[in-house]
Amino acid sequence: MTGNRLAKKRVLCGLGLLAVTAAIGLGAGQGAETATLFSKGGVITAYAQEDMLGYQNPERIVIASPSTDNYSTTAANISILGACDYRYPLTMNGETLEITEHGFFTTYVTLSVGENVFFFENGEHEYRLVVTRKKSSGSSGGGGSTSVYKEVSNKMGELIYSYTMPYSAPGTVQIDYLPLTKNTTFRIVGEYGSYYKLPDGTYVSKSAVKVYPYAMPKNKVNSSAIKYEEATHTVATTFSMKIDALYDVQVNGDTVKFVLYDTTAGGNPSVPDNPLVKSVTAKTDDSGRAIYTYTLYDGGKLCGFDVVTKNGTMTFTMKYAPVLKQKGSLEGAVILLDAGHGGTDSGTVGAMGSAGPTEKTVNLDLTLRTKKALEEMGAKVVMVRSTDVYYTLDERVELIRSTKPDLSVSIHNNAMGITSDYAKSSGFLTFYSYNNIQDAAGIINASVNKSMGYAQRTIRKSNLSLTRLTACPAVLLESAFLTNPDDYEYMLKSSNREKLAQAIANAAKDYIESVAEYEQEYEPAKTHTVKKGDTLTSIAKKYGVTVAALAKVNRIENINIIHTGSVLVIPN
């Protein structure tokens, strides 16, 4: 983490300080970095005074990574991560290691081929870690089969998962295209290894496709109807046709095109009164695609779109900017918060391993604090989870799509692989997949970094399940690297999580306000025309303001002199 976040290091804290602290009975607010000793079942246990989420001094050596004390690898270097009794120094093979205030540590070691023994000592405790480095078998350099592209005819495919990512080429991970929804049906025009090629030139994994061994029947839009839903800030068009066709969404300024492949367009749908869509026209182009062109009102802000299939229909939903009650409040906005992991999925472990707080616990606490802050600002907050329960990624995505929030924020903590130097990766990161409609990721990232005093880092584009949906702006925040001892200690401190939660809430507010419309602006300034017999005191009493405030806003030097016919501004 950046400079002002780095925890102080402690190599040795004598038992004498703890004993004195216990003897004089200092409270938690009287010496933030002390600890108190008390007896628990006849065993003396030290607990940190600072409010640390689910932490207590392990009073032993804990090795969190590697996760086994007989570890094998082909890597030349690995990181060792762990915790110890912070009252005593820690050594590895006789050399003192640096530990944080609460006893967390990491070291990056070089491995020789064969057995590598690392012997740790901390007070009266010892720990022996054996890491065996095996020789890398290398690459055989041949012998495998090479895939060959083949054209396909008279086959139809249907997507079987909630969301499927199409790719520009087999096996790529670029986020060049929109995800396709379940039941999307298409001609299979080719295959390459474990991928099918679609009519739009993209590829999808064969595992995501149910194949029908016959040609796709002719498809025509029989009817289309547009519905405006004020509660969810959406304008949705439902198309009725035989096949849930392969589709694309093209956004260009105030024009949005919904393209249906191998489909004949129907008539122009009737547009009800709404704040986003001015008109819609339909046509069938020379390539046999139905193209519905939506023209938006000047100033209309598209803030998300989605396609769902149900009961033989396809519904294309466009989301417009949130409408707030008034400036300064988030009343009217719906924000979904997703606390990463949960239940049987602990996420990454920190320096305490499974013996201490893991990512799922840190995520939930931080998310609940963010919820509270947003609700105090007036927002309606929908939580994926409020307790320690497990939801699949698909379940989380479907909740976001059905809720249609104005913003989705997934809160996580980060980790590095064991072959990386844990000490070199730290800090806050913002991930997104699509940021070409409204700059939610950029605004949120800049706001959190500024509020927290973090170093400004650019937003990271990534193919993540919780950000690649398009129903609303969606970001995933990696609050810190739990594999970094300083970051782990930082995130366990409740005061830091509280500050970060407030920063995330403020950042969400910054984004919402950047696109929001308002039911009412600030009330216009009230005025009063001075009548005969009025005094400044009587006018102030009438409007419930002080004489001093009334005089100040109207620059009246002598409160005993006002002139009939003068127009006075009444302060709010």
Side-chain angles (χ1 to χ4, degrees):
M1 293 237 164
T2 54
N4 64 331
R5 297 187 55 177
L6 290 176
K8 301 175 197 174
K9 300 289 188 176
R10 173 185 292 168
V11 174
L12 176 62
C13 173
L15 186 58
L17 171 61
L18 300 175
V20 170
T21 302
I24 63 177
L26 287 179
Q30 301 172 275
E33 306 302 337
T34 61
T36 303
L37 282 182
F38 62 92
S39 177
K40 181 178 180 181
V43 178
I44 298 296
T45 306
Y47 292 84
Q49 285 268 17
E50 172 100 22
D51 183 9
M52 297 278 286
L53 179 68
Y55 166 82
Q56 69 180 52
N57 186 359
E59 297 187 332
R60 60 188 176 93
I61 300 169
V62 175
I63 300 297
S65 178
S67 57
T68 174
D69 55 12
N70 283 284
Y71 180 72
S72 295
T73 180
T74 58
N77 300 86
I78 65 166
S79 281
I80 299 173
L81 175 70
C84 65
D85 189 331
Y86 60 78
R87 299 172 300 175
Y88 307 103
L90 174 71
T91 62
M92 183 185 77
N93 294 345
E95 294 188 8
T96 300
L97 296 182
E98 192 174 48
I99 65 174
T100 69
E101 214 159 3
H102 292 80
F104 308 141
F105 68 91
T106 188
T107 182
Y108 193 54
V109 297
T110 299
L111 304 175
S112 302
V113 174
E115 190 175 272
N116 298 261
V117 178
F118 301 97
F119 186 70
F120 296 87
E121 294 181 279
N122 174 231
E124 297 180 353
H125 298 279
E126 299 174 346
Y127 191 100
R128 186 173 183 268
L129 171 67
V130 178
V131 179
T132 302
R133 179 184 171 190
K134 300 177 181 179
K135 290 183 178 180
S136 175
S137 60
S139 173
S140 63
S145 61
T146 302
S147 297
V148 177
Y149 177 77
K150 297 185 297 183
E151 289 189 1
V152 173
S153 60
N154 297 324
K155 277 188 180 181
M156 183 174 71
E158 180 183 1
L159 298 179
I160 59 177
Y161 299 130
S162 295
Y163 256 175
T164 297
M165 290 300 298
Y167 301 111
S168 57
T172 61
V173 293
Q174 295 176 332
I175 316 167
D176 297 330
Y177 303 102
L178 302 177
L180 296 172
T181 197
K182 185 176 181 179
N183 299 331
T184 297
T185 306
F186 48 86
R187 285 184 295 119
I188 297 175
V189 300
E191 62 179 306
Y192 185 89
S194 57
Y195 294 86
Y196 286 126
K197 187 176 182 180
L198 281 55
D200 63 357
T202 63
Y203 291 81
V204 295
S205 172
K206 288 182 177 179
S207 63
V209 181
K210 179 179 180 180
V211 178
Y212 297 92
Y214 45 79
M216 193 169 118
K218 290 183 178 181
N219 196 37
K220 180 181 179 180
V221 175
N222 298 315
S223 65
S224 56
I226 299 179
K227 183 179 180 181
Y228 160 48
E229 293 188 358
E230 185 177 6
T232 55
H233 308 150
T234 57
V235 178
T237 308
T238 298
F239 300 89
S240 176
M241 48 193 168
K242 184 180 295 184
I243 300 294
D244 298 322
L246 176 66
Y247 62 89
D248 188 19
V249 180
Q250 302 168 2
V251 181
N252 184 14
D254 62 356
T255 300
V256 179
K257 291 184 178 181
F258 183 55
V259 181
L260 296 165
Y261 284 79
D262 297 315
T263 301
T264 302
N268 298 340
S270 176
V271 181
D273 288 340
N274 73 91
L276 183 64
V277 178
K278 182 191 298 184
S279 63
V280 183
T281 59
K283 73 171 186 178
T284 305
D285 72 1
D286 295 338
S287 299
R289 303 179 305 174
I291 300 178
Y292 287 78
T293 301
Y294 296 76
T295 301
L296 308 184
Y297 285 109
D298 291 341
K301 295 173 183 173
L302 181 65
C303 294
F305 53 83
D306 199 9
V307 179
V308 297
T309 59
K310 185 177 181 181
N311 299 328
T313 61
M314 292 185 75
T315 300
F316 171 53
T317 301
M318 290 186 288
K319 187 169 183 65
Y320 59 88
V323 180
L324 306 183
K325 293 290 183 183
Q326 61 184 18
K327 287 187 175 179
S329 169
L330 285 183
E331 186 178 357
V334 178
I335 298 173
L336 183 140
L337 297 179
D338 168 46
H341 306 283
T344 55
D345 177 12
S346 65
T348 190
V349 298
M352 295 282 289
S354 59
T358 59
E359 184 189 355
K360 68 173 184 178
T361 303
V362 178
N363 293 347
L364 180 58
D365 181 274
L366 180 58
T367 305
L368 289 171
R369 291 171 187 267
T370 305
K371 173 181 183 286
K372 180 182 177 183
L374 284 169
E375 288 178 337
E376 289 174 351
M377 296 174 184
K380 177 183 177 181
V381 179
V382 177
M383 297 282 287
V384 171
R385 68 180 183 100
S386 297
T387 57
D388 184 21
V389 294
Y390 173 72
Y391 291 100
T392 66
L393 290 175
D394 282 347
E395 288 171 333
R396 294 170 195 252
V397 168
E398 285 308 306
L399 179 61
I400 298 170
R401 295 177 73 186
S402 62
T403 300
K404 301 182 180 70
D406 297 303
L407 175 67
S408 171
V409 181
S410 188
I411 295 177
H412 284 247
N413 276 270
N414 218 337
M416 293 298 292
I418 193 171
T419 58
S420 300
D421 186 347
Y422 290 159
K424 291 183 177 179
S425 296
S426 64
F428 176 86
L429 293 172
T430 301
F431 288 87
Y432 75 101
S433 295
Y434 307 104
N435 211 36
N436 58 345
I437 298 176
Q438 304 295 342
D439 188 23
I443 291 170
I444 289 172
N445 183 66
S447 180
V448 170
N449 285 321
K450 183 178 179 181
S451 295
M452 297 299 293
Y454 298 165
Q456 286 287 347
R457 285 178 166 175
T458 58
I459 53 179
R460 308 292 180 93
K461 188 172 184 178
S462 187
N463 184 17
L464 303 174
S465 295
L466 290 162
T467 59
R468 68 190 182 206
L469 53 88
T470 60
C472 65
V475 297
L476 185 145
L477 307 180
E478 295 283 7
S479 305
F481 282 78
L482 298 190
T483 46
N484 181 298
D486 292 312
D487 276 24
Y488 183 63
E489 182 161 275
Y490 179 90
M491 289 306 300
L492 293 193
K493 291 185 178 180
S494 296
S495 58
N496 293 333
R497 293 194 311 281
E498 182 63 26
K499 184 180 179 183
L500 181 54
Q502 190 65 52
I504 294 171
N506 288 336
K509 184 171 184 284
D510 287 345
Y511 161 70
I512 295 291
E513 289 182 335
S514 75
V515 297
E517 303 291 339
Y518 293 91
E519 289 186 10
Q520 60 186 43
E521 303 289 340
Y522 287 121
E523 291 185 9
K526 294 179 181 177
T527 59
H528 176 88
T529 302
V530 178
K531 301 182 180 72
K532 187 176 181 178
D534 278 347
T535 65
L536 212 59
T537 301
S538 67
I539 296 171
K541 184 176 181 180
K542 176 180 179 179
Y543 292 100
V545 298
T546 65
V547 171
L550 192 58
K552 181 178 180 181
V553 77
N554 290 282
R555 299 181 180 180
I556 298 173
E557 295 182 3
N558 189 339
I559 63 174
N560 297 310
I561 300 175
I562 56 175
H563 301 283
T564 301
S566 298
V567 178
L568 302 182
V569 175
I570 308 302
N572 292 329

